[in-house]
Amino acid sequence: MKIYKDESLRGFEFWSGAENTAQRIWKEQGSEGFDHLEAILEDLYPDGIDETDLNDLLWFDADTVYEWLGIDEEDEDDEEEGAAE
C-alpha cells in the first residue's frame, strides 16, 4: 500500500548524508532555500517524489541541488579548510 501526503521540505526529516545537505541549505539560505528547492522539485516531479528518492537526491546529488540553489561548492571547501587550520 502507498500512502501519499503533502509536506513542506522544511518539515521533512532527512536522514544520513541528506541531513548534511539540508543543514547547509538552511545555514546558507534559510527557509527561502527550501521554498526555492520545493518549487524546483514540484516542476521536476509534478506527480510528487518518494521520500527515499527525495532523501537520495539530497544525499547523492547534493552538488546538483547546490547548483540549482546557487550555493557555491567552494564555500564548503573553504569551511573545511578553515576548520583544519
Side-chain angles (χ1 to χ4, degrees):
M1 174 172 76
K2 292 184 180 185
I3 299 173
Y4 294 95
K5 64 180 177 177
D6 286 329
E7 184 174 355
S8 171
L9 282 181
R10 289 186 247 170
F12 187 79
E13 292 186 35
F14 294 96
W15 63 91
S16 298
E19 261 186 299
N20 297 332
T21 304
Q23 288 173 358
R24 181 159 181 220
I25 293 168
W26 185 260
K27 179 182 172 189
E28 295 199 22
Q29 297 189 342
S31 61
E32 293 84 16
F34 283 100
D35 292 344
H36 185 199
L37 180 57
E38 195 168 296
I40 292 168
L41 294 175
E42 286 175 347
D43 285 342
L44 292 174
Y45 302 94
D47 295 327
I49 185 171
D50 177 83
E51 289 180 343
T52 302
D53 291 338
L54 173 61
N55 194 78
D56 286 353
L57 177 68
L58 267 73
W59 187 358
F60 300 112
D61 293 321
D63 291 341
T64 300
V65 173
Y66 295 149
E67 184 179 321
W68 290 342
L69 299 176
I71 296 174
D72 191 6
E73 286 184 56
E74 293 177 15
D75 291 343
E76 184 176 19
D77 295 338
D78 291 344
E79 288 175 15
E80 289 174 6
E81 288 176 14
E85 293 176 5

